[in-house]
Amino acid sequence: MKLFAILFSWISACLLPSHAVQAQQEPIVIRFSHVVAADTPKGKAAVRFKQLAEEATNGRVRVQVYPNSELYRDREELEALQLGAVEMIAPSLSKFGPLGVREFEVFDLPFLFPDEAALHRITNGPIGAGMLQRLRLKGVIGLAFWDNGFKSFSANRPLLAPSDLTGLRLRIQPSRVLDAQMRALGAQPMTMRFGEVYAALEAGVVDGTENPPSNFYTQGMQDVQSHFTVSNHGYLGYAVIVNRKFWEDLPSEVREALEEAMRKATAYAASISQAENDRALNAIRASGKTQVHVLTETERQAWKKALSAVSVEMEDVIGRQLIADIRRTIGTR
Ligand code: LMR
């Protein structure tokens, strides 16, 4: 019976005109896994990429987006990508250490980037391109940097001065820079997957966390954190990466169409990130559950001072030259 089916499909393929055979071709499927909610800068950019990619390839490529750690969680998604179990992911830049490229943690340095324009001089310039290039050795190709935004601290007590974090257990991503940052503030860093943070806060396993408002609000953290301090002390963004073999085996016209779709999705991510975070911050305020405090300039200077040693401390981990090049490029040396 099986043999008959195979024979039948072979004979029909031979008899069909070539364009019909092409139409029968299996689509190229890109499984795009990520860990945040669909209603975030990354979640929306992933869906935009799907639309653009499918349109540009006339449906030859199908992109399946899996948000909220549905398919894989933080570290697992990196392993899944290397093994070819998914084709595309966009981990936070703080999560590349386990891949053996610690220099991505330079983006975690507190108060390194004064604003998004300075950050884009790095992510859109030769330094960013060089960093993505280094990923090839790890079996992945870096396609783009996507924005989220600047992070804030939260806890169940007011956080006005750096010393307010003393003794608190704070959830971090797996980054040595973030570990050093929390220690410099007298807090106890605890590495944890993103999908587990809400439950850990609720259970009191950790006392606080840091993230841009969009990630905080879409996980419902306002239900379990009474205070949120807009500190903008560090940046959170992503590198969109694909499995190298998958990418290099694509027909060149498909790859070019996908590169163009990625360029447009990247511009889209940059255009919505600030508004998405503003919207989330307003929603946190409106929830009435979490008190929002925006640091005054004097308070901000005190946090800056408390964290000023982290950069020097981390030179050996992320590279003194890279830090110097970034500072020179953005003019903060
Ligand atoms: C986190 O783990 O806190 C974030 O990096 C999640 C994300 O991908 O934005």
Side-chain angles (χ1 to χ4, degrees):
M1 192 65 192
K2 205 169 161 193
L3 189 69
F4 178 74
I6 294 171
L7 210 62
F8 179 76
S9 66
W10 182 75
I11 291 169
S12 21
C14 291
L15 296 178
L16 280 170
S18 68
H19 66 270
V21 172
Q22 192 151 30
Q24 275 196 335
Q25 265 179 5
E26 289 291 306
I28 299 166
V29 174
I30 296 182
R31 290 161 292 183
F32 188 157
S33 167
H34 69 81
V35 301
V36 293
D39 195 17
T40 54
K42 176 163 64 178
K44 290 187 169 184
V47 170
R48 180 57 69 101
F49 171 71
K50 168 187 167 65
Q51 291 160 348
L52 291 163
E54 292 181 352
E55 214 172 273
T57 60
N58 290 321
R60 186 157 173 212
V61 171
R62 297 267 167 79
V63 182
Q64 299 167 351
V65 180
Y66 298 92
N68 257 328
S69 311
E70 258 172 36
L71 212 53
Y72 293 104
R73 298 179 299 179
D74 299 19
R75 190 177 176 149
E76 290 91 333
E77 66 175 14
L78 274 169
E79 288 160 4
L81 186 83
Q82 285 181 300
L83 292 171
V86 287
E87 288 71 33
M88 186 175 283
I89 60 175
S92 139
L93 300 168
S94 319
K95 292 179 182 166
F96 281 78
L99 205 60
V101 277
R102 286 268 168 213
E103 58 265 47
F104 278 72
E105 292 175 20
V106 75
F107 291 100
D108 292 332
L109 284 177
F111 297 107
L112 178 63
F113 301 102
D115 51 34
E116 268 196 0
L119 172 92
H120 287 160
R121 280 209 282 286
I122 304 307
T123 51
N124 297 337
I127 297 182
M131 292 177 84
L132 292 180
Q133 191 63 24
R134 279 198 282 286
L135 293 172
R136 295 180 76 87
L137 300 173
K138 307 293 172 186
V140 300
I141 298 225
L143 294 179
F145 288 101
W146 279 2
D147 285 329
N148 188 328
F150 289 94
K151 294 178 291 183
S152 290
F153 287 111
S154 69
N156 283 320
R157 61 156 89 142
L159 304 171
L160 308 187
S163 57
D164 293 330
L165 283 180
T166 306
L168 295 188
R169 287 159 301 176
L170 289 189
R171 179 267 171 169
I172 56 163
Q173 304 177 69
S175 151
R176 287 184 59 188
V177 172
L178 296 180
D179 186 279
Q181 169 195 274
M182 295 309 189
R183 288 183 197 285
L185 295 167
Q188 190 188 324
M190 289 181 71
T191 305
M192 189 176 287
R193 296 183 189 98
F194 183 67
E196 288 158 8
V197 182
Y198 178 92
L201 289 167
E202 189 178 34
V205 174
V206 288
D207 305 303
T209 182
E210 58 162 15
N211 241 307
S214 56
N215 275 352
F216 183 91
Y217 180 71
T218 53
Q219 295 296 313
M221 292 183 194
Q222 62 281 2
D223 295 343
V224 289
Q225 294 278 265
S226 61
H227 288 79
F228 186 90
T229 288
V230 180
S231 46
N232 292 331
H233 60 277
Y235 173 73
L236 179 84
Y238 311 103
V240 188
I241 57 180
V242 281
N243 176 286
R244 180 173 168 178
K245 176 155 175 27
F246 166 77
W247 195 249
E248 290 180 344
D249 285 351
L250 285 174
S252 60
E253 73 280 7
V254 171
R255 197 167 47 240
E256 278 157 27
L258 293 178
E259 279 165 357
E260 181 56 18
M262 183 54 67
R263 267 192 289 279
K264 290 182 179 161
T266 301
Y268 171 75
S271 75
I272 63 163
S273 60
Q274 184 64 53
E276 288 294 314
N277 279 304
D278 291 347
R279 192 165 66 92
L281 187 62
N282 287 337
I284 296 167
R285 283 193 176 103
S287 75
K289 297 172 186 162
T290 305
Q291 211 173 312
V292 175
H293 174 73
V294 182
L295 288 185
T296 64
E297 191 46 38
T298 316
E299 286 168 345
R300 191 175 152 82
Q301 288 308 323
W303 287 83
K304 252 181 138 164
K305 189 159 171 235
L307 290 167
S308 61
V310 175
S311 179
V312 176
E313 199 188 320
M314 288 293 109
E315 275 178 354
D316 291 345
V317 175
I318 48 189
R320 180 192 293 222
Q321 190 59 47
L322 177 61
I323 300 172
D325 288 348
I326 289 180
R327 286 196 199 283
R328 191 170 10 82
T329 307
I330 64 178
T332 56
R333 193 147 57 179

